[in-house]
Amino acid sequence: MPGKSAKEFASCPDCGFTWEDRTLFLEDRKVELTEYRANFKNLPSGKFYFSHHGQAAEPERLTLPVAAFGDLYAGPVYRVRATGSLYCTGYCFDAKCFEPCNAICECSQVRETLRIILEWPKKEDPLTGPLAQLAERCRSYRRFDESKPVSRQTLLDLVNLARLCPSASNQQPLKHFISCDKELNDAIFPSLSWAKYFRDWNGPAEGERPAGYVVILSDNSITKNCHCDDGIAAQMMKLGATERGYGGCLINAFDEKKLRETLKLPDYMDIRLVLALGVPVETVRLESADGSIRYYKDKSGVVHVPKRPLDEIIINLPKKSKIPR
């Protein structure tokens, strides 16, 4: 490839990521064979087209010659051509067809090479491992099966996860008010606001409201500034809830006076966040942001959440830099 180092097998022309050898390229889960365009005058000069699913909103495309993969096939090689004859399957005329060909034709070698590439074992990607999968499942859910309880022990376990989190200067000013009681839950609910982008929605209806709450508080008698402790603790509890099969929503829009009266809090306790919990009854899907970052519901009630790509949120990333995939 133009501009490619002698030590590189391939380089993505868009994000600049490089593969040092062919094995690394073939076992990369983010590389997908998409087309084969035959050069019938010179088969090794034909082109394999690949998609690289990097951090850009759309897959990046790269092209490699057939010759770069020719030695993968070790079977019989024919020196005759059946192209266009009665024995020709016509597969090589369809760029998106990857079917093997049994014709006695030198093109069948390329068809077998296609099969080898498609069946090449993909390497486990740490960004698609258990932690990444948990983070992807840990969405904001706002509709729950209220008949399925969240136990007090579950809430205590989640708060214990928060207790283990880092704290600025190790001050540990966070305190927590927990509720899994139906009557208390009903008293907390009217103080909360839900999903500002859903203009015609006033929050979950009865039967779809949270079955449990953790109200995250900051004790001003310890320090007047809890810094970012609340966010760290809140996300840790939400991840823990997700791992247990629950969903949650972090709420920072609430009637503080009403909620404070409901919980009978002392003056030195500030309300920082409310974590609403339950078993979700809605589907939330991530998608690449394409201009707008407003989450929305489609006609079937599925919530779509646009996320900015990595190359948009790293401000000092040159065009050709290597970025985590």
Side-chain angles (χ1 to χ4, degrees):
M1 294 181 63
K4 180 168 63 69
S5 163
K7 295 183 179 181
E8 298 171 3
F9 172 72
S11 175
C12 181
D14 293 319
C15 72
F17 186 84
T18 59
W19 295 267
E20 293 182 359
D21 59 50
R22 186 173 65 189
T23 298
L24 291 174
F25 179 81
L26 291 173
E27 69 184 12
D28 191 334
R29 288 184 175 274
K30 295 186 181 295
V31 172
E32 178 186 10
L33 179 65
T34 58
E35 291 183 27
Y36 161 54
R37 296 189 179 274
N39 182 337
F40 293 111
K41 293 182 178 180
N42 184 0
L43 290 179
S45 296
K47 303 295 182 185
F48 289 149
Y49 291 83
F50 298 86
S51 287
H52 176 221
H53 299 267
Q55 296 300 327
E58 297 295 330
E60 299 141 351
R61 196 181 197 198
L62 61 154
T63 309
L64 290 170
V66 169
F69 303 90
D71 62 324
L72 291 178
Y73 174 69
V77 177
Y78 302 109
R79 299 301 180 188
V80 296
R81 183 73 66 85
T83 307
S85 72
L86 293 174
Y87 304 102
C88 179
T89 61
Y91 292 158
C92 292
F93 294 99
D94 183 351
K96 296 184 181 297
C97 176
F98 301 136
E99 294 293 325
C101 179
N102 295 322
I104 298 177
C105 174
E106 61 178 332
C107 294
S108 63
Q109 176 183 350
V110 182
R111 309 303 305 177
E112 285 300 306
T113 303
L114 284 170
R115 180 187 58 79
I116 293 169
I117 293 173
L118 290 169
E119 295 179 358
W120 196 275
K122 296 295 185 179
K123 186 177 180 180
E124 180 67 29
D125 187 339
L127 293 185
T128 60
L131 181 58
Q133 292 172 18
L134 180 64
E136 189 166 340
R137 297 201 324 267
C138 187
R139 310 273 43 95
S140 292
Y141 293 100
R142 302 174 180 87
R143 295 172 49 233
F144 309 93
D145 184 344
E146 203 170 345
S147 69
K148 295 181 179 178
V150 178
S151 71
R152 178 177 175 81
Q153 186 58 53
T154 294
L155 297 179
L156 290 173
D157 290 345
L158 296 180
V159 170
N160 193 50
L161 286 177
R163 182 183 68 85
L164 301 175
C165 288
S167 174
S169 301
N170 205 32
Q171 295 265 13
Q172 305 171 69
L174 298 185
K175 303 293 172 66
H176 307 274
F177 186 104
I178 63 175
S179 174
C180 56
D181 175 77
K182 179 68 166 67
E183 184 177 348
L184 184 51
N185 286 351
D186 289 345
I188 291 172
F189 180 80
S191 301
L192 309 177
S193 297
W194 297 82
K196 74 172 186 177
Y197 289 149
F198 299 162
R199 297 296 186 186
D200 56 348
W201 192 63
N202 295 319
E206 286 191 38
E208 294 187 345
R209 292 175 179 172
Y213 292 99
V214 178
V215 182
I216 303 174
L217 311 168
S218 182
D219 187 339
N220 287 334
S221 69
I222 296 175
T223 178
K224 303 291 185 185
N225 189 347
C226 74
H227 298 279
C228 59
D229 286 15
D230 51 350
I232 296 171
Q235 182 63 8
M236 178 63 81
M237 288 191 284
K238 197 157 170 277
L239 285 166
T242 302
E243 187 178 44
R244 289 169 174 251
Y246 297 103
C249 185
L250 289 170
I251 301 172
N252 193 32
F254 46 80
D255 185 326
E256 184 172 0
K257 182 179 179 181
K258 184 187 294 186
L259 186 55
R260 180 177 291 278
E261 290 174 353
T262 299
L263 305 183
K264 297 180 172 56
L265 297 175
D267 292 341
Y268 58 86
M269 289 287 185
D270 281 349
I271 304 174
R272 302 295 298 182
L273 290 165
V274 178
L275 174 57
L277 294 163
V279 176
V281 293
E282 64 181 349
T283 301
V284 180
R285 292 177 181 164
L286 296 182
E287 57 188 38
S288 294
D290 185 15
S292 174
I293 46 79
R294 294 174 70 97
Y295 53 83
Y296 65 94
K297 284 184 182 180
D298 62 24
K299 292 180 180 179
S300 62
V302 174
V303 179
H304 298 260
V305 182
K307 289 293 183 182
R308 301 183 195 276
L310 184 60
D311 57 5
E312 183 179 327
I313 64 174
I314 299 178
I315 64 172
N316 61 334
L317 183 69
K319 180 70 174 176
K320 295 298 183 181
S321 292
K322 294 182 181 180
I323 59 177
R325 292 165 295 150

